[in-house]
């Protein structure tokens, strides 16, 4: 989900200790299990190899992912694909990238929202993020899969709830030195880069940056409306969301 310019390595304050986040870890485990059992993992010999494996992957993504050109005006079952697509990933890198950011930012957000609300928030915002991308690319025949929209929503909510929490980031233009910045610096910069990338994105296979932006905006807006200015949490200093569309 997160573009190659940056990464998060290390937990935010409070998330590494004393935090109960069963839904965050459950979502990570579920996505990992679904991926391991699918054709993209390469772990199930029943899908075959070579051209047979590629055909199985395309059919799998088309069945469980969002195909914008088929989403609108089709049978009611197609309306479920923005939900099922949240749990399908196209590669190991795709899965690990999304789950890393869910692991880093999800625990504190879940602790603040509560288990049930966090789960509904995650699935609801992820659904709407993929739906928004599909509406903006209604003629696209590419399959869209991945938890990026939902994880981006978690980033948006985290930014509002914990703007001063410090996040360890690796920036290539600073020789990949691990530096700690507050969330209000890292996350808006990430969102800005998604915006720039979305303006250059084509309809071909790649990253659905628009879904990232929609999810991020939904997450931030939800936290703003739901919790208000009086509920932000000040995080005390403590020691230490990619390829969406499949061919």
């Amino acid at each position: 989900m997160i573009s190659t310019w940056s990464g998060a390595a290390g937990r935010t304050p409070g998330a590494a200790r004393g935090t109960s986040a069963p839904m965050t870890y459950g979502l990570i485990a579920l996505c990992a299990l679904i991926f391991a059992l699918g054709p993209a993992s390469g772990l199930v010999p029943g899908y075959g190899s070579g051209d047979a494996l590629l055909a199985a992957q395309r059919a799998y993504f088309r069945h469980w992912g969002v195909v914008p050109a088929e989403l609108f005006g089709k049978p009611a079952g197609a309306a479920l694909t923005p939900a099922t697509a949240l749990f399908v990933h196209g590669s190991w890198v795709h899965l690990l990238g999304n789950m890393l950011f869910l692991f880093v930012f999800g625990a504190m957000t879940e602790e603040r929202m509560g288990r049930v609300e966090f789960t509904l928030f995650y699935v609801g915002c992820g659904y709407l993020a993929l739906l928004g991308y599909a509406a903006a690319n209604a003629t696209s025949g590419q399959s869209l899969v991945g938890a990026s929209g939902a994880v981006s929503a978690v980033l948006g909510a985290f930014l509002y709830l914990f703007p001063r929490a410090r996040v360890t980031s690796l920036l290539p233009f600073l020789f990949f030195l691990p530096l700690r910045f507050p969330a209000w610096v890292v996350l808006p910069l990430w969102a800005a880069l998604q915006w720039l990338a979305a303006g250059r994105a084509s309809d071909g296979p790649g990253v659905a940056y628009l879904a990232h932006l929609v999810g991020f905006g939904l997450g931030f807006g939800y936290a703003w409306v739901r919790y208000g200015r009086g509920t932000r949490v000040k995080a005390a200093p403590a020691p230490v969301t990619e390829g969406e569309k499949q061919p």
Side-chain angles (χ1 to χ4, degrees):
M1 178 199 71
I2 303 301
S3 56
T4 56
W5 69 275
S6 69
R11 305 302 303 279
T12 48
R17 58 184 187 280
T19 297
S20 176
M23 299 313 300
T24 296
Y25 305 137
L27 287 168
I28 293 173
L30 179 59
C31 287
L33 177 62
I34 291 174
F35 178 78
L37 296 176
S41 69
L43 299 178
V44 181
Y47 288 110
S49 60
D51 291 341
L53 179 59
L54 292 177
Q57 291 175 354
R58 286 192 292 267
Y60 184 81
F61 296 139
R62 196 166 193 88
H63 181 75
W64 296 109
V66 178
V67 181
E70 300 179 358
L71 179 61
F72 304 103
K74 288 289 183 177
L80 295 176
T81 56
T84 59
L86 293 176
F87 302 96
V88 178
H89 291 82
S91 68
W92 284 101
V93 172
H94 188 199
L95 172 72
L96 293 175
N98 279 337
M99 295 305 100
L100 170 63
F101 278 83
L102 179 57
F103 177 75
V104 171
F105 295 101
M108 287 177 67
T109 306
E110 178 185 343
E111 185 179 57
R112 179 65 187 88
M113 291 184 175
R115 299 175 185 178
V116 175
E117 182 179 349
F118 175 80
T119 304
L120 294 175
F121 162 81
Y122 179 89
V123 175
C125 288
Y127 184 101
L128 293 176
L130 295 181
L131 189 65
Y133 177 88
N137 298 272
T139 61
S140 174
Q142 295 290 334
S143 301
L144 180 67
V145 297
S148 297
V151 176
S152 296
V154 173
L155 300 186
F158 187 96
L159 173 61
Y160 184 82
L161 294 172
F162 308 100
R164 297 185 181 180
R166 303 188 75 83
V167 181
T168 301
S169 301
L170 300 176
L171 305 178
F173 53 82
L174 292 178
F175 305 101
F176 293 98
L177 294 175
L179 300 175
R180 298 177 67 221
F181 298 100
W184 65 265
V185 172
V186 175
L187 296 181
L189 179 58
W190 172 84
L193 291 180
Q194 303 305 295
W195 176 272
L196 293 174
R200 299 193 303 267
S202 65
D203 186 52
V207 181
Y209 295 104
L210 180 59
H212 300 179
L213 291 170
V214 173
F216 188 84
L218 287 171
F220 186 88
Y222 177 87
W224 184 15
V225 172
R226 171 69 174 83
Y227 296 99
R229 295 181 59 83
T231 61
R232 288 191 180 185
V233 178
K234 294 183 178 180
V240 170
T241 94
E242 196 8 298
E244 288 284 352
K245 294 188 288 181
Q246 299 301 319

